[in-house]
Amino acid sequence: MPNDSMFFYNLTLAMQSFKRAPTLYFLIILTLSIGVGVMCANLALVNSMASDPIPEKSANLFHINMNTWPDDQPPDEPMHILRYRDAMAVTKSNLTKGSAVFYASGVYARDAESSSMKRFDSEVRATTPGFFELTNAPFAYGSAFENSTGMEIVIGDELNQKIFAGKNSVGKTLELDGELLTIVGVLKPWLLRPLFYHPTEGRAFNLTDDIFAPLETAIDLGWSIHARSSSAVNYTGIEETRDKDVYYLQAWVELADINQKPALQSYLDNYSQQLKDAGEHPLAIKNELHNVNEWLKVNKVVDQKVLAFTLASVLFLSVCIFNASSLLLSRFHAAKFEVGLRRAIGASNRHMLVQGLTESVLLGFFTGVVALVLSWLFLKLSVQFLPRLANIAVLEPKLLVLGMLLALVTSIASALYPIYRANCYSISAELK
Amino acid sequence: MLNMNNISRIYQSDTIQTHALRDFSLRVNEGEFVAVTGPSGSGKSTFLNVAGLLDNFDRGQYELDGVSVQGLKDDELSRLRNEKIGFIFQNYNLIPDYSIFDNVDMPLRYRGFSASERKRRVEQALEKVGLASRFKYLPSQLSGGQQQRVAIARALAGEPKILLADEPTGNLDSLMARQVMEILHNLNNDGATIIMVTHDPDQAREVNRNVQVIDGQLADFKIYAPLGRSSEVKSKTISEAASAAVAEEVENA
Ligand SMILES: Nc1ncnc2c1ncn2[C@@H]1O[C@H](COP(=O)(O)OP(=O)(O)OP(=O)(O)O)[C@@H](O)[C@H]1O
Ligand SMILES: [Mg+2]
């Protein structure tokens, strides 16, 4: 095939060209890959922050804010944390396909059968059983607990790795703050970026929890609240909170059909109105339903500083392109003679254009490889300085592809003008 | 083979206009070996560049091997250059870090030939210039005369209809120049049409026809070794030869 051989010929010519001016091409690759690398590292952050963690149903999951505070201090704004009885009222709605009511806690965990006394500081999600289906939690072994009561738990992959070396630990018993609970399910590695079910209090980039325990059990065991809570009354332990004005539970519901949202809204509004009619609170009826992406937006999960940095890296990348372009211009200027000669012996403008583009695509490929290594280093480095970025500073496969494409585009962009110039000279000018 | 009619080439710079060719007309028949002479700056190279489609022209008609070139697109012109024309430069214009083989192979790359066909043609072309054994050398490892022979092989490899040479021996000493001229004469005897710009009157004398360019125009015809039907004009005076040639020109038009 003549076209194939032309392609390989152009590749050889490109390699020859690199060999003729290795330092220059090294500088070009370095210049472009620093620009692309910074850009790519930044996009990795934005990608983690702005991505939809549960695209298959993010539009159908709603976080519930309610306005049931018993007096008008704090002011008239619905809160993202609910009272026990309000949250339970939400789960009773028959409009929803599923619901989850939970609070965050923490315990020290050890294998009850182990002779070692080593305990692991573990994050707990005390939740109703609907949580697992609502969040599509991936099970490696076993299944969810079926009731909000009972001494059963589900554990995450990381804790299972730490305590049971990743083996199937269903049926084993953990000692959690002195209580024995049986493992009924083990999750696969589960990354939610952002952690949509709990993005408040700056937790959007925390890992998923270590232990998932039944809500009523956790309350009965007095496992304390490790997140925002508000109370209008005094209480000594969480086990007393069920019928008190203590606000600490978050509620999510899943709608089979988002057209049911207005019905759900009026269900909540009716509930608030009834409370108000009974004189339980003086506030305006104001309940809010946010789907996943709305809720992430409300919580400003995408850091404005990172966005500002994106703008800066776009500018930086264009400076890199201009630099590479001027370096390439000198290279193509030096190659004028050869361009003239090739044209004289029968290469068309199109041949020379394809040759130039082949060279820049190859250059872009090398740039892409270096850029990805650099952006990996940038991310490592940024985690050194800002440890809270640890779970965001990751290069997903789609970013590797994006980085490569970006490198190709920048490489071609910086070669366009030089190629154009090189083909402007009249053929005979360089040939004597 | 080559037919130029009232060709004008004007170089326009900021301040001056140079009429490098003005109403330049010339016809060259198949199998002819034409020498182009004339003072420096008279337009010889310009004529050759226009003839070789390396340069465009501003006015006139130019027909090459039956193809009218004005109005052709870049890729059509490139194909004509590649298939019909072999160009030989005073400075050889070899690529210094390419082997002899790769230099000669270059025009064939734009033809879509298979690797074996290219190899056959390169070897054949190097054979013709007596350098078949040097195909692995770099240009710098050859003498000037040998380099020019490589350049001739490069021009021959595409089996062109016409060879255009701009002072091909200008950089060579007389012995090497002789070798190159012999190769050109051999090619001409085998049927190649050749147009050569030269400053050497001896070289101009030993070919079929010598045309002189003065101030961008054709000045004179001198016919030394007539070809074909112009064979009876062997011993005419210059003016007679000129008028005969003009008559021929008219007859051919
Ligand atoms: N690229 C150019 N731009 C402007 N003027 C040019 C250019 N090339 C040639 N000329 C002018 O055109 C005229 C003819 O030049 P050309 O090179 O054809 O002369 P020549 O007969 O080949 O001379 P020589 O024997 O010295 O090689 C000269 O006056 C020259 O200055
Ligand atoms: Mg000249």
Side-chain angles (χ1 to χ4, degrees):
Chain A
M1 283 298 291
N3 283 335
D4 279 12
S5 70
M6 205 64 220
F7 174 70
F8 287 114
Y9 185 53
N10 282 332
L11 276 189
T12 353
L13 293 182
M15 289 309 293
Q16 256 156 4
S17 179
F18 297 162
K19 271 188 219 140
R20 280 179 192 160
T23 328
L24 186 101
Y25 280 104
F26 173 76
L27 284 178
I28 294 171
I29 288 176
L30 200 65
T31 307
L32 285 180
S33 53
I34 290 175
V36 173
V38 167
M39 186 74 212
C40 197
N42 182 259
L43 288 179
L45 296 181
V46 174
N47 173 58
S48 299
M49 291 177 168
S51 63
D52 182 344
I54 184 163
E56 64 275 19
K57 50 158 83 168
S58 55
N60 293 60
L61 301 183
F62 291 91
H63 183 270
I64 292 172
N65 280 15
M66 290 181 82
N67 213 11
T68 60
W69 191 254
D71 57 48
D72 52 9
Q73 293 295 328
D76 192 6
E77 274 307 313
M79 296 199 295
H80 74 277
I81 38 182
L82 310 180
R83 243 178 339 201
Y84 181 85
R85 61 187 170 111
D86 299 340
M88 288 307 136
V90 169
T91 64
K92 299 227 170 63
S93 157
N94 52 16
L95 292 165
T96 64
K97 185 180 166 200
S99 67
V101 169
F102 55 71
Y103 73 96
S105 184
V107 294
Y108 285 91
R110 67 175 278 273
D111 178 2
E113 286 154 30
S114 164
S115 52
S116 159
M117 279 294 133
K118 185 166 166 51
R119 289 164 201 279
F120 296 91
D121 187 358
S122 309
E123 308 244 317
V124 171
R125 182 92 6 205
T127 178
T128 54
F131 175 87
F132 301 99
E133 208 185 308
L134 185 133
T135 58
N136 283 352
F139 278 85
Y141 307 111
S143 57
F145 43 80
E146 276 168 14
N147 297 304
S148 286
T149 54
M151 299 299 268
E152 295 176 332
I153 51 168
V154 168
I155 66 173
D157 175 70
E158 205 181 306
L159 188 67
N160 194 47
Q161 296 290 347
K162 282 192 229 165
I163 301 186
F164 300 106
K167 299 213 178 65
N168 183 352
S169 57
V170 170
K172 303 257 188 197
T173 306
L174 286 187
E175 184 203 313
L176 306 177
D177 286 1
E179 303 290 337
L180 297 178
L181 289 93
T182 307
I183 297 170
V184 294
V186 178
L187 298 184
K188 291 182 186 157
W190 189 27
L191 268 178
L192 284 178
R193 239 183 265 116
L195 185 67
F196 76 90
Y197 62 75
H198 197 154
T200 51
E201 297 108 36
R203 294 187 186 215
F205 299 104
N206 283 14
L207 298 174
T208 49
D209 300 274
D210 298 314
I211 295 173
F212 302 85
L215 178 66
E216 306 298 341
T217 308
I219 295 174
D220 288 338
L221 293 176
W223 288 355
S224 56
I225 305 158
H226 284 201
R228 172 81 54 81
S229 66
S230 291
S231 61
V233 294
N234 289 329
Y235 67 102
T236 48
I238 189 172
E239 54 281 23
E240 305 168 6
T241 57
R242 285 195 181 93
D243 50 8
K244 288 214 163 87
D245 290 337
V246 184
Y247 293 75
Y248 64 101
L249 291 164
Q250 298 206 42
W252 284 86
V253 296
E254 178 174 356
L255 294 182
D257 175 2
I258 51 169
N259 293 323
Q260 290 174 299
K261 189 182 167 189
L264 181 63
Q265 181 78 50
S266 39
Y267 172 85
L268 295 175
D269 292 349
N270 281 339
Y271 173 81
S272 295
Q273 188 63 50
Q274 278 169 18
L275 294 184
K276 189 173 181 172
D277 293 346
E280 291 204 39
H281 72 85
L283 306 174
I285 305 303
K286 204 166 165 191
N287 302 301
E288 287 173 355
L289 291 169
H290 296 284
N291 70 23
V292 171
N293 290 314
E294 288 164 352
W295 188 232
L296 294 175
K297 203 164 173 187
V298 167
N299 284 286
K300 298 201 168 52
V301 164
V302 180
D303 192 334
Q304 298 301 306
K305 274 178 268 178
V306 172
L307 285 184
F309 188 59
T310 306
L311 200 66
S313 43
V314 168
L315 293 178
F316 180 62
L317 183 59
S318 17
V319 172
C320 291
I321 292 176
F322 294 141
N323 261 311
S325 197
S326 75
L327 288 170
L328 277 172
L329 202 57
S330 71
R331 170 74 195 116
F332 280 68
H333 189 77
K336 258 188 335 188
F337 155 70
E338 194 178 324
V339 174
L341 179 63
R342 285 184 183 279
R343 299 276 285 118
I345 61 171
S348 63
N349 251 326
R350 205 174 52 84
H351 280 126
M352 298 317 295
L353 185 73
V354 172
Q355 186 190 327
L357 285 178
T358 308
E359 183 177 314
S360 34
V361 167
L362 197 61
L363 193 69
F365 177 75
F366 292 138
T367 301
V369 172
V370 180
L372 290 177
V373 172
L374 285 180
S375 73
W376 180 78
L377 284 174
F378 291 147
L379 288 175
K380 280 266 165 239
L381 204 68
S382 59
V383 171
Q384 291 294 308
F385 292 116
L386 297 166
R388 70 179 190 89
L389 293 180
N391 297 319
I392 327 176
V394 279
L395 280 174
E396 285 180 10
K398 74 172 171 195
L399 270 145
L400 300 183
V401 175
L402 188 76
M404 207 33 124
L405 286 179
L406 200 61
L408 289 176
V409 170
T410 51
S411 163
I412 290 172
S414 45
L416 278 183
Y417 181 65
I419 291 176
Y420 165 75
R421 280 297 300 272
N423 288 324
C424 272
Y425 302 110
S426 88
I427 304 173
S428 56
E430 294 302 314
L431 303 172
K432 284 282 165 320
Chain B
M1 171 59 51
L2 174 147
N3 192 1
M4 281 190 182
N5 235 324
N6 295 321
I7 295 285
S8 288
R9 177 66 175 109
I10 302 163
Y11 288 113
Q12 187 89 46
S13 70
D14 296 342
T15 48
I16 45 165
Q17 259 195 358
T18 313
H19 289 258
L21 293 176
R22 54 178 95 206
D23 294 332
F24 185 98
S25 300
L26 177 68
R27 184 187 173 93
V28 174
N29 293 315
E30 186 150 4
E32 258 191 304
F33 191 160
V34 177
V36 180
T37 52
S40 185
S42 58
K44 304 182 296 296
S45 295
T46 307
F47 153 65
L48 214 60
N49 287 337
V50 169
L53 310 176
L54 303 188
D55 205 346
N56 40 14
F57 49 94
D58 302 293
R59 267 200 312 275
Q61 293 89 42
Y62 173 25
E63 203 177 273
L64 176 70
D65 194 29
V67 181
S68 186
V69 306
Q70 51 274 12
L72 289 187
K73 293 198 205 69
D74 175 73
D75 54 338
E76 294 165 321
L77 288 173
S78 302
R79 177 128 33 84
L80 281 181
R81 276 201 294 276
N82 187 268
E83 291 177 4
K84 304 215 171 192
I85 301 168
F87 219 102
I88 302 162
F89 307 90
Q90 179 175 355
N91 290 337
Y92 332 134
N93 288 339
L94 301 176
I95 295 190
D97 57 353
Y98 280 19
S99 69
I100 299 313
F101 185 97
D102 287 340
N103 266 292
V104 177
D105 184 36
M106 228 162 67
L108 304 179
R109 290 287 186 165
Y110 298 102
R111 265 292 202 26
F113 288 138
S114 68
S116 57
E117 172 68 6
R118 284 190 285 110
K119 186 162 181 288
R120 188 187 70 73
R121 282 174 176 247
V122 172
E123 279 168 0
Q124 198 178 39
L126 283 172
E127 197 85 49
K128 278 190 187 152
V129 298
L131 288 172
S133 59
R134 308 286 174 98
F135 67 95
K136 278 186 179 159
Y137 284 50
L138 290 175
S140 58
Q141 295 167 318
L142 301 182
S143 73
Q146 288 170 324
Q147 291 187 40
Q148 189 59 299
R149 279 147 63 192
V150 173
I152 294 174
R154 179 179 61 197
L156 291 177
E159 292 172 4
K161 293 273 187 177
I162 187 164
L163 281 178
L164 303 174
D166 196 348
E167 300 184 43
T169 62
N171 289 0
L172 301 177
D173 67 29
S174 56
L175 187 66
M176 291 196 202
R178 200 60 253 147
Q179 289 177 340
V180 166
M181 285 310 294
E182 256 157 41
I183 289 172
L184 293 180
H185 276 290
N186 288 341
L187 292 170
N188 179 237
N189 288 339
D190 292 346
T193 311
I194 304 178
I195 302 177
M196 175 183 71
V197 170
T198 182
H199 281 291
D200 183 338
D202 292 335
Q203 284 178 9
R205 219 167 288 130
E206 68 194 39
V207 301
N208 304 132
R209 179 149 67 112
N210 175 206
V211 300
Q212 214 176 0
V213 180
I214 293 175
D215 201 14
Q217 278 183 315
L218 213 54
D220 220 327
F221 288 68
K222 291 178 193 141
I223 297 157
Y224 294 100
L227 185 92
R229 65 206 157 96
S230 51
S231 59
E232 71 277 15
V233 294
K234 199 165 211 157
S235 55
K236 282 179 181 163
T237 63
I238 292 172
S239 61
E240 275 172 336
S243 53
V246 170
E248 186 193 30
E249 206 80 338
V250 170
E251 183 189 323
N252 288 333

